[in-house]
Amino acid sequence: MAICLPDTQDDSPEIPISLTRVGVTGVKKLLQLERKDKRPIILVPTFDAFVDLPNDQKGVHMSRSPEAISEVLNSVTEDTSMEVEYICAEIVNKMMTKHEYAKRVEISMVSDYMFLKESPVTKRKTQEMAKLIAKAVGIRENGEIKIRKSIGAELTGMTVCPCAQESVKESNKTELLKFLDEETVEKVLDTVTFASHNQRGIGTLLIEVPEQKEVKGNDIIEIIENSMSSPVCELLKRPDENATVLNAHANPVFVEDCVRNMMESVAKKYIDFPDDTIITARQENQESIHRHNAYAEKVTTLGELKEELNLN
């Protein structure tokens, strides 16, 4: 005869305080996304799953969240149309059913993601890595469930400091004027690439995906790459290295510029998305001449962004 075990999570807590987020973190799974006429994408994502908890319940039914993740992933392995943000939305929907007491459910997914590119000059194919991000949040109101889902990426690139470069340029101008006329000096300044200190930039972009709309992960990666001074490559031969350094120093950007560049690209590419679409962009530059890092971020709606850019 089976033993009936107590369900203490449904007891009343000694201190009747509601909690905003309770759940599990670091749930690792294998996810294979089938693609029509292409090789499948293999991901090993890490999931974090949370629900809110009312003040009259002692604890959440913790096992139900990883159970929901497993059930959804097992059901989508043969679906060639399912994108990662829709998978997160399906997990939220299932968690809402399993956690009937929850008014808010949240799932996030992060996975290494490999994409192919060519080096800038020799055109050698190289495997590059980014982090693929997906999120979904479900809200239960008046018996209805509304789910908002997002997709994003995190990518490393290269930035060149404009301030230091201008200082070096001005110093060199002063030295050149000691033995060259001003017209010749100006020609030199227009021709020569001037030094600056570099940073390894880490850009992150997250875009909410409305119903009946699509945002491709590779498009987000391209936007992040183009927001910095230069992309970086795992494989660079000498001509590629030369081109990368020259191109980067021809396009110096502050950490603030990177976020603004991402936001402008998103506003123009997804201008037909609803105005309440939420966009998050952040950039962290790992400094080479300081022990600290530089950081910038913007969270806004597409409508607010279009208004700032006069795109309405």
Side-chain angles (χ1 to χ4, degrees):
M1 185 176 68
I3 301 174
C4 184
L5 300 175
D7 197 352
T8 55
Q9 287 90 344
D10 290 333
D11 293 347
S12 297
E14 294 181 11
I15 303 174
I17 294 177
S18 62
L19 300 178
T20 307
R21 298 165 85 221
V22 183
V24 295
T25 62
V27 178
K28 285 188 177 292
K29 293 291 180 181
L30 178 67
L31 174 59
Q32 178 171 309
L33 297 176
E34 297 294 334
R35 297 185 296 170
K36 189 176 181 180
D37 301 325
K38 293 183 180 180
R39 290 184 299 176
I41 297 175
I42 307 296
L43 302 175
V44 184
T46 299
F47 291 91
D48 296 340
F50 305 102
V51 301
D52 65 338
L53 188 67
N55 64 0
D56 60 352
Q57 183 157 328
K58 188 175 182 66
V60 302
H61 296 273
M62 200 72 72
S63 65
R64 295 179 184 178
S65 295
E67 181 182 51
I69 295 170
S70 295
E71 289 176 359
V72 171
L73 295 191
N74 290 339
S75 69
V76 302
T77 53
E78 299 300 324
D79 191 337
T80 59
S81 64
M82 187 69 77
E83 303 290 345
V84 287
E85 69 273 20
Y86 286 90
I87 291 174
C88 286
E90 285 296 312
I91 295 172
V92 164
N93 197 44
K94 191 167 283 289
M95 285 175 63
M96 278 288 192
T97 302
K98 292 179 179 293
H99 298 279
E100 67 282 353
Y101 47 82
K103 293 182 179 179
R104 185 182 188 278
V105 170
E106 175 186 338
I107 187 84
S108 64
M109 185 210 89
V110 179
S111 176
D112 286 337
Y113 174 72
M114 192 219 32
F115 62 101
L116 297 175
K117 66 182 298 183
E118 292 181 341
S119 58
V121 177
T122 63
K123 303 301 179 184
R124 291 174 181 264
K125 294 191 182 301
T126 173
Q127 294 182 353
E128 303 295 326
M129 294 299 295
K131 288 192 181 299
L132 189 64
I133 303 167
K135 292 185 177 181
V137 175
I139 304 293
R140 196 196 312 265
E141 287 182 347
N142 303 320
E144 292 188 1
I145 297 174
K146 295 181 180 180
I147 299 176
R148 303 185 75 145
K149 54 192 177 299
S150 304
I151 184 172
E154 178 187 291
L155 189 71
T156 298
M158 176 183 177
T159 58
V160 173
C161 177
C163 181
Q165 189 178 57
E166 282 299 313
S167 297
V168 170
K169 182 177 180 180
E170 191 62 31
S171 297
N172 286 331
K173 179 179 179 180
T174 301
E175 291 300 312
L176 288 169
L177 285 171
K178 291 178 180 179
F179 56 89
L180 294 175
D181 63 84
E182 190 163 344
E183 182 180 355
T184 304
V185 167
E186 289 302 322
K187 289 180 179 179
V188 172
L189 296 179
D190 290 340
T191 304
V192 174
T193 300
F194 289 92
S196 182
H197 70 92
N198 308 142
Q199 303 118 336
R200 175 171 286 183
I202 302 171
T204 305
L205 178 61
L206 193 68
I207 304 173
E208 190 174 55
V209 184
E211 292 299 325
Q212 311 304 319
K213 297 292 185 180
E214 182 182 37
V215 178
K216 294 184 178 297
N218 284 346
D219 290 340
I220 294 179
I221 288 171
E222 183 178 354
I223 290 172
I224 298 172
E225 278 196 320
N226 292 339
S227 74
M228 297 187 232
S229 297
S230 173
V232 295
C233 266
E234 281 295 320
L235 177 60
L236 292 174
K237 303 301 286 184
R238 193 169 297 123
D240 300 312
E241 290 180 350
N242 180 64
T244 297
V245 172
L246 289 176
N247 291 339
H249 282 77
N251 183 35
V253 289
F254 287 125
V255 67
E256 298 93 334
D257 295 323
C258 297
V259 171
R260 289 178 174 133
N261 290 340
M262 282 189 270
M263 282 291 179
E264 182 183 44
S265 296
V266 169
K268 291 180 177 179
K269 185 173 182 62
Y270 303 104
I271 194 168
D272 61 329
F273 279 23
D275 283 349
D276 65 347
T277 301
I278 298 172
I279 305 156
T280 302
R282 66 179 69 98
Q283 179 80 15
E284 183 172 10
N285 287 349
Q286 298 175 340
E287 294 281 8
S288 59
I289 64 170
H290 305 291
R291 290 188 174 88
H292 59 260
N293 293 339
Y295 184 88
E297 180 180 75
K298 183 175 179 67
V299 181
T300 187
T301 64
L302 184 62
E304 292 168 342
L305 189 57
K306 289 192 294 186
E307 186 175 345
E308 281 193 282
L309 295 171
N310 294 317
L311 294 176
N312 289 318

